[in-house]
Amino acid sequence: MKPAKPLLTQWLIHALLAGGICCLLVSGMRFYLGSQLQQQLLQRVPLQVQQQFMPLLAQSVWDVDPAMEQRLLQGIQSLDGVAEVSLLNTRGQVQLALGSPLPASHRIELPVQSAGTGDQPLGTLRLSLSLRSLEYQLWQDIALAVAELVLAMLLLAWLTRRYLQRKVLVPVAALVTRWHRPGNGRQIAAQDEIDALGQTLLAYEKHADAQLQHSRQTCYELTQQRDHLSSLLAMRTAELDQLSRFHQMVSEMSSRLIQLNHADIEGEIAIALSRIGNLLEVDRCYLFKVAPSLRIHHTQEWCRAGVASTAQQYENYPLQESAWFVPQLIKQHLVALSQLEDMPPEGHNERMRFAAHGIQSIAVVTLSYQGQVLGFFGCDSVLQKRDWLDKELTLMRLFSEMLCHTLLQRQYRQAHDVTRQALTLAHEKLDGMVNIDGLTGLANRKVFRQQLARHYVHSQESRQALSLLLINIDVFTDYNACFGHLEGDQCLIRLATLLQQHGTGPAVLARLGGDEFGMLLPGYDAASAYSLAETLRLAIWQLGIPHISSSVSTCVTASIGVASLDTARHDSDGALQEAAAQCLYQAKQLGRNRVISTSHGAGSSA
């Protein structure tokens, strides 16, 4: 298959036409510029003769030096454009003449003067100027320039032809040869190589469509292989059966855990961990319980033979120290890593810790109930890396739900036992504790009101100082929501003990409500009452009771309102208590964890 007119022939024709046009343009431009230069040269000849030769010529004529005159006239004749030069005496006779056969186009006569003769000329210098020599030189220059241009264009054309043939035409021809199918029974008539390539690609595209149709037919035939799909379905059914058996095993273990006593639960969980570890074929299987303070407080772990245990190294581990792993667990409830390198840069320290424990792959599930983290259940692969399958993660989720229910049941039983014991003690002491707060052992609101009325009357009569402190635990509702009411009661008991340690002399301390305490201070003026209140606030904060859901501090804090008796402002004991309540309200509005007094204003917060 040969093109009608190859690209190389077309390119040569166009190159010759372009070269001819370029030569014409260059010749015309050089001729125009040369003509302008000739005119400038003829205009400069008289001035050049006047400046360079006339003084010497006048001196030689004055000195009557024919040899010098001969040399000067020869020099003038050698100038470009000078055809003939003659020296005439004062009578107009030709004294000396030099010339060439070229016809003159201009004649110029210049007076020969000397300083010795003044304005009287010594003779006349006649110049005959001719453009013939300049035109001859111009045509020589044009011919030389055109010759150089032609040679350069021929060289460029030769180089371009070789480059076009090697880099374009030969590869295109090779592509046409490679893609052309001789057996198609049709000869392609192309205008040039590019057209031939286009037609070949079109034929190749049609062939590809035919292949596509054939592939579709093959795919249709492959749909007949249903036996293989049936075997895959059987395998999937087997996996579902395995999952069902595992679910049955989890239900069995769950029933046993529900029926066991507290003392037997730990042993049953250990058995369950070993069964799960062997079923999943992992190297470690563990349960980490989380205390309300968000620390791991108890661990149980099963390890395959030859694998070291690491559970004790996480005992009492604070969850706040985790930069990535624990936050991801709380957020997603499941973290499965086939390799530790999948952890992001912020989890670098935890990755190093896991690597130090020999972990290559890890999967952990969060045990939580209504936003409260109860613990973590996880599995480690130490001997080799593994890709966690969906069914394995499903099994872990099922088992984690069972463990979560077990921990909740145990927590409820413990809470029930504590409550039952507390109720028993309360019933035993009910007759003798009518005026005592059952939780903290402090006086209740009724006793506090009675003591306030009595000391108010006594201070009025004896003009003795009297101050009142109202103490409220900051955001205690959030504390109960986060840690539970049992932990909240323990917090109240610790604060009551602290207040009793700081209450001296005739001070009356009472629990007025859920998270509010009152302290009546007979004999305390405003300054001493404010000082004691600030001491109590700092002591409560320094107890360091964790309060992660507080917007004030990471520990439990308190706001205190202080009022000191002023007979002009407090006309009753209720007015004195209302003044302390207003100060307490102001302390809460200003950000909590501070002391506000009717005499001192706002105190600083820790």
Side-chain angles (χ1 to χ4, degrees):
M1 178 187 61
K2 294 184 178 180
K5 182 181 287 187
L7 283 175
L8 188 59
T9 303
Q10 299 179 33
W11 176 85
L12 287 175
I13 295 174
H14 288 86
L16 290 175
L17 291 176
I21 295 173
C22 185
C23 289
L24 290 177
L25 291 175
V26 171
S27 300
M29 182 62 66
R30 292 296 296 268
F31 181 80
Y32 173 77
L33 296 177
S35 299
Q36 295 294 324
L37 180 61
Q38 289 175 6
Q39 296 296 331
Q40 294 176 5
L41 288 175
L42 290 178
Q43 292 175 4
R44 288 201 301 267
V45 167
L47 180 61
Q48 188 175 3
V49 171
Q50 191 73 29
Q51 292 178 352
Q52 296 182 2
F53 298 94
M54 193 58 73
L56 296 176
L57 183 60
Q59 184 66 37
S60 63
V61 173
W62 177 263
D63 295 336
V64 189
D65 188 356
M68 180 59 71
E69 292 174 0
Q70 179 74 20
R71 289 194 296 271
L72 291 174
L73 291 181
Q74 290 176 352
I76 294 173
Q77 188 187 9
S78 65
L79 294 177
D80 293 333
V82 178
E84 184 180 0
V85 59
S86 303
L87 179 62
L88 285 70
N89 56 22
T90 56
R91 294 186 299 274
Q93 299 174 347
V94 178
Q95 184 176 347
L96 182 62
L98 296 176
S100 63
L102 296 175
S105 58
H106 295 80
R107 292 185 183 276
I108 301 175
E109 292 184 356
L110 300 175
V112 180
Q113 295 179 344
S114 175
T117 62
D119 296 334
Q120 184 65 30
L122 299 176
T124 301
L125 180 65
R126 179 181 297 167
L127 300 175
S128 296
L129 304 180
S130 175
L131 293 175
R132 182 65 60 83
S133 62
L134 295 177
E135 290 175 354
Y136 180 75
Q137 182 66 32
L138 174 60
W139 285 111
Q140 285 184 337
D141 294 340
I142 292 175
L144 181 61
V146 170
E148 292 176 350
L149 180 60
V150 169
L151 289 176
M153 292 184 65
L154 289 176
L155 178 61
L156 179 61
W158 181 76
L159 293 176
T160 307
R161 178 181 179 278
R162 285 184 58 85
Y163 181 84
L164 180 64
Q165 189 169 10
R166 294 181 59 184
K167 299 298 183 179
V168 178
L169 299 181
V170 172
V172 169
L175 289 176
V176 172
T177 303
R178 179 185 301 176
W179 288 339
H180 180 61
R181 299 176 59 84
N184 57 9
R186 186 172 63 90
Q187 187 71 18
I188 298 177
Q191 298 178 1
D192 52 33
E193 289 87 340
I194 301 299
D195 187 33
L197 178 60
Q199 295 188 37
T200 302
L201 290 177
L202 181 60
Y204 189 84
E205 183 178 1
K206 293 181 179 179
H207 177 70
D209 291 338
Q211 291 290 339
L212 179 61
Q213 294 295 332
H214 179 71
S215 299
R216 290 176 178 175
Q217 181 65 25
T218 304
C219 290
Y220 176 77
E221 294 174 357
L222 289 177
T223 56
Q224 304 300 322
Q225 299 179 359
R226 297 180 180 178
D227 294 339
H228 178 64
L229 295 178
S230 299
S231 62
L232 293 178
L233 180 60
M235 293 175 57
R236 185 60 177 172
T237 303
E239 292 178 358
L240 292 176
D241 291 340
Q242 182 184 13
L243 181 61
S244 177
R245 290 194 299 271
F246 178 83
H247 189 276
Q248 182 178 0
M249 182 185 69
V250 171
S251 300
E252 176 187 350
M253 290 188 295
S254 178
S255 300
R256 294 182 59 183
L257 288 172
I258 292 175
Q259 299 173 2
L260 290 175
N261 297 326
H262 294 308
D264 300 328
I265 288 180
E266 302 292 339
E268 189 63 28
I269 289 178
I271 295 174
L273 291 176
S274 65
R275 295 179 65 182
I276 295 297
N278 287 314
L279 180 64
L280 295 179
E281 298 181 352
V282 295
D283 299 318
R284 294 193 188 104
C285 190
Y286 44 81
L287 170 64
F288 292 169
K289 301 175 186 176
V290 177
S293 60
L294 296 183
R295 287 177 175 268
I296 296 176
H297 71 96
H298 184 68
T299 61
Q300 285 185 264
E301 183 180 36
W302 168 85
C303 296
R304 189 174 299 277
V307 177
S309 174
T310 60
Q312 293 302 321
Q313 300 184 32
Y314 291 92
E315 188 69 30
N316 204 33
Y317 175 79
L319 303 186
Q320 296 88 342
E321 291 187 4
S322 175
W324 180 82
F325 196 80
V326 173
Q328 287 294 111
L329 273 175
I330 296 176
K331 179 181 179 181
Q332 301 180 4
H333 301 287
L334 170 64
V335 174
L337 300 174
S338 299
Q339 55 183 359
L340 299 184
E341 290 76 12
D342 294 337
M343 297 179 67
E346 53 266 30
H348 174 73
N349 293 335
E350 292 168 296
R351 182 167 67 250
M352 294 297 100
R353 177 193 289 266
F354 292 162
H357 295 163
I359 298 175
Q360 297 197 48
S361 303
I362 184 172
V364 182
V365 183
T366 304
L367 310 181
S368 62
Y369 178 74
Q370 295 183 352
Q372 180 183 358
V373 178
L374 303 178
F376 303 107
F377 163 68
C379 298
D380 293 345
S381 179
V382 177
L383 302 180
Q384 62 181 359
K385 294 181 180 179
R386 64 180 295 167
D387 294 326
W388 300 101
L389 303 178
D390 291 340
K391 66 176 184 178
E392 295 174 338
L393 299 179
T394 301
L395 300 180
M396 292 183 64
R397 288 191 183 96
L398 290 174
F399 187 68
S400 65
E401 291 177 2
M402 182 200 71
L403 292 177
C404 184
H405 293 319
T406 301
L407 295 180
L408 283 174
Q409 179 188 8
R410 182 177 184 182
Q411 189 179 65
Y412 291 153
R413 286 182 179 179
Q414 291 176 347
H416 180 266
D417 293 341
V418 171
T419 304
R420 184 174 58 186
Q421 294 176 4
L423 286 175
T424 301
L425 294 176
H427 284 295
E428 293 175 356
K429 299 180 180 179
L430 182 61
D431 295 337
M433 299 179 60
V434 177
N435 298 325
I436 301 298
D437 178 67
L439 178 64
T440 62
L442 303 178
N444 58 17
R445 179 185 290 273
K446 176 182 176 181
V447 174
F448 186 79
R449 288 289 300 164
Q450 293 174 351
Q451 292 294 326
L452 175 60
R454 184 174 67 83
H455 283 287
Y456 178 84
V457 173
H458 181 266
S459 297
Q460 289 277 40
E461 295 175 352
S462 62
R463 299 186 179 278
Q464 182 182 4
L466 177 64
S467 296
L468 172 62
L469 273 61
L470 292 183
I471 306 164
N472 184 265
I473 303 174
D474 295 329
V475 289
F476 189 69
T477 302
D478 294 342
Y479 186 92
N480 281 331
C482 180
F483 299 109
H485 290 283
L486 292 179
E487 288 293 331
D489 291 345
Q490 294 300 318
C491 178
L492 292 174
I493 293 171
R494 293 181 64 181
L495 293 179
T497 303
L498 175 69
L499 295 176
Q500 285 177 323
Q501 294 173 354
H502 287 78
T504 58
V508 178
L509 179 63
R511 182 188 179 197
L512 305 182
D515 58 348
E516 186 174 355
F517 298 86
M519 182 176 286
L520 190 62
L521 301 173
Y524 278 68
D525 57 7
S528 57
Y530 180 85
S531 177
L532 177 59
E534 187 64 26
T535 301
L536 290 174
R537 184 190 68 81
L538 289 174
I540 292 172
W541 178 70
Q542 290 173 352
L543 277 177
I545 302 175
H547 192 351
I548 61 174
S549 60
S550 172
S551 59
V552 181
S553 174
T554 57
C555 302
V556 171
T557 58
S559 301
I560 304 176
V562 182
S564 298
L565 179 61
D566 185 355
T567 55
R569 297 167 56 190
H570 308 132
D571 55 354
S572 66
D573 57 338
L576 179 61
Q577 186 172 358
E578 180 63 22
Q582 290 294 329
C583 291
L584 176 60
Y585 177 77
Q586 186 179 1
K588 292 181 179 181
Q589 292 296 316
L590 292 177
R592 295 185 172 89
N593 191 22
R594 63 187 68 243
V595 176
I596 301 295
S597 172
T598 55
S599 301
H600 289 75
S604 61
S605 62

